[in-house]
Amino acid sequence: LGVGAGLLAMGYLLLRRRLVKQRTWRLVLDLLAVAVILSIVVAFWAIVRSPGAVQVLGAVPAGGGAVSRATLWRDGLDLVGDYPLTGSGLRSTMMVYSTYGLLLHVGYISHMHNLLLQIAVEQGVVASLAFVGLMAVAAASVLSATRPGRRTWRFGLAAGAALAALAVHLSLIHISEPTRPY
């Protein structure tokens, strides 16, 4: 999915570069890109918040355990609601989720398998918004680098593809230490 998103981002940037003199079509392309991104975010939110999401995403277990990603993400959003400003603290997800989400006295899953949600759980919504802001600044820099007249536009294409692949990868899989119950 990440490679596919990177290729789509590269195609978008190439097409946007070619449509530099046609402002109307470039604006349509930009609005289409924003609509696609917003629809992905809304679809993610709807799937996670709906009760039937376990059947939709049930084929992808989280951490090799019995908890699906949809359930894990839904429980993570509940944890964000408990600690919206400060978060639960760095590297505390395992015990906070086990204690409050699963009602277990031992650690079970060390991360939420979604970096943005992981940041919101551990550091709060403000830190999560700061991360989104950093990604937006990176995307704006990529758009600036791919403008006509820039000698480094090819590097901008590669950076855009890498940024899209990274965003998709981090939103689906947050890699940290192996999950193991204590």
Side-chain angles (χ1 to χ4, degrees), residues 54-75:
V54 176
Q55 286 78 26
V56 173
L57 296 177
V60 185
V67 178
S68 73
R69 287 183 193 259
T71 303
L72 183 64
W73 292 340
R74 186 179 12 221
D75 293 345

Side-chain angles (χ1 to χ4, degrees), residues 4-71:
L7 290 173
L8 284 175
M10 188 177 288
Y12 162 76
L13 291 170
L14 275 172
L15 189 58
R16 191 175 193 281
R17 182 175 165 80
R18 289 181 190 230
L19 295 174
V20 70
K21 293 185 180 175
Q22 301 163 342
R23 289 183 167 220
T24 305
W25 285 110
R26 196 174 72 197
L27 180 64
V28 168
L29 183 67
D30 291 345
L31 289 175
L32 182 65
V34 168
V36 166
I37 291 170
L38 287 177
S39 66
I40 289 170
V41 169
V42 168
F44 171 78
W45 184 265
I47 287 172
V48 170
R49 295 309 287 178
S50 71
V54 176
Q55 286 78 26
V56 173
L57 296 177
V60 185
V67 178
S68 73
R69 287 183 193 259
T71 303

Side-chain angles (χ1 to χ4, degrees), residues 27 32 35 40 43 49 82 108 114 124 132 134 164 169:
L27 180 64
L32 182 65
I40 289 170
R49 295 309 287 178
D82 289 342
Y108 183 67
N114 181 307
V132 169
L134 288 172
H169 176 73

Side-chain angles (χ1 to χ4, degrees), residues 24-145:
T24 305
W25 285 110
R26 196 174 72 197
L27 180 64
V28 168
L29 183 67
D30 291 345
L31 289 175
L32 182 65
V34 168
V36 166
I37 291 170
L38 287 177
S39 66
I40 289 170
V41 169
V42 168
F44 171 78
W45 184 265
I47 287 172
V48 170
R49 295 309 287 178
S50 71
V54 176
Q55 286 78 26
V56 173
L57 296 177
V60 185
V67 178
S68 73
R69 287 183 193 259
T71 303
L72 183 64
W73 292 340
R74 186 179 12 221
D75 293 345
L77 289 174
D78 291 339
L79 289 176
V80 171
D82 289 342
Y83 306 100
L85 293 178
T86 61
S88 62
L90 293 175
R91 299 189 49 89
S92 67
T93 302
M94 181 182 284
M95 287 312 294
V96 169
Y97 178 62
S98 296
T99 304
Y100 297 118
L102 300 176
L103 300 176
L104 297 174
H105 68 284
V106 295
Y108 183 67
I109 291 180
S110 62
H111 52 86
M112 292 285 132
H113 289 274
N114 181 307
L115 182 62
L116 193 59
L117 183 59
Q118 180 73 24
I119 292 171
V121 166
E122 289 189 350
Q123 300 176 30
V125 176
V126 174
S128 189
L129 291 174
F131 181 76
V132 169
L134 288 172
M135 294 292 279
V137 167
S141 296
V142 164
L143 286 176
S144 173

